[in-house]
Amino acid sequence: MEEEGRKDDLDGSIEYYHKALKCYPCDHPNCSMSLENIANALKLRFERLQGADDLETAFGYFCSAAMHLTSPIAHRISAARKWAEAAWTHNHTSLLDAHSELLNLLDIGLFLHPSLDSQHEFLNKNRGSFASDAAASAIQAGKPDVAV
């Protein structure tokens, strides 16, 4: 699907991801993963076919996946990272929100790892220039006070 991005394949994957999401109760831990899958497929369809509503809808799904409270923190961080990357790539207005949520989730992740060793391992798994990227997006949005 990703290599060729044929419309039928993309439409089919989005349909199946929606069906998978409907199989879970709304508070199921796998919802975030399903929401992220839908977002990724919509973003890809936008990038391949320029569907008018696909990108905006994808950002809504990325946001929902990142903020799904009963999903594992790792799934939520993954969704927030992809949300921030896509918002940066497509110059989307949700960029600052994506970075803010990502930093919040990383903070929660550190809290959930009580020992110094487990915090170190968590940070190694979640490397990136998140703080500087968040500051850059705040400055770009004309909010230098948020960047500090």
Side-chain angles (χ1 to χ4, degrees):
M1 176 185 79
E2 284 191 34
E3 288 184 21
E4 293 183 28
R6 291 188 1 222
K7 183 174 179 359
D8 292 344
D9 293 341
L10 291 167
D11 292 345
S13 66
I14 292 166
E15 180 183 337
Y16 287 120
Y17 290 140
H18 275 285
K19 286 180 181 179
L21 180 61
K22 288 179 183 178
C23 290
Y24 300 122
C26 63
D27 61 347
H28 194 279
N30 286 343
C31 284
S32 181
M33 198 167 36
S34 290
L35 290 163
E36 183 182 340
N37 286 338
I38 295 168
N40 286 327
L42 285 165
K43 182 182 79 71
L44 182 60
R45 187 168 70 181
F46 170 80
E47 290 168 350
R48 299 289 195 265
L49 306 171
Q50 300 298 307
D53 296 327
D54 285 344
L55 190 61
E56 200 62 39
T57 305
F59 285 118
Y61 279 103
F62 278 130
C63 177
S64 294
M67 295 184 175
H68 193 267
L69 296 177
T70 57
S71 290
I73 196 73
H75 293 174
R76 296 175 64 200
I77 289 171
S78 172
R81 285 177 88 157
K82 290 180 182 172
W83 176 18
E85 290 167 5
W88 177 264
T89 299
H90 297 287
N91 197 28
H92 193 261
T93 58
S94 68
L95 178 61
L96 191 54
D97 292 332
H99 281 297
S100 177
E101 186 62 22
L102 178 55
L103 290 175
N104 181 51
L105 291 170
L106 289 169
D107 190 39
I108 292 169
L110 280 174
F111 177 77
L112 294 174
H113 292 82
S115 75
L116 193 56
D117 286 341
S118 65
Q119 287 179 349
H120 186 263
E121 184 179 332
F122 172 79
L123 289 174
N124 273 335
K125 287 180 182 176
N126 293 287
R127 287 184 194 194
S129 54
F130 308 122
S132 59
D133 290 347
S137 67
I139 292 167
Q140 181 182 8
K143 298 182 178 183
D145 55 315
V146 175
V148 180

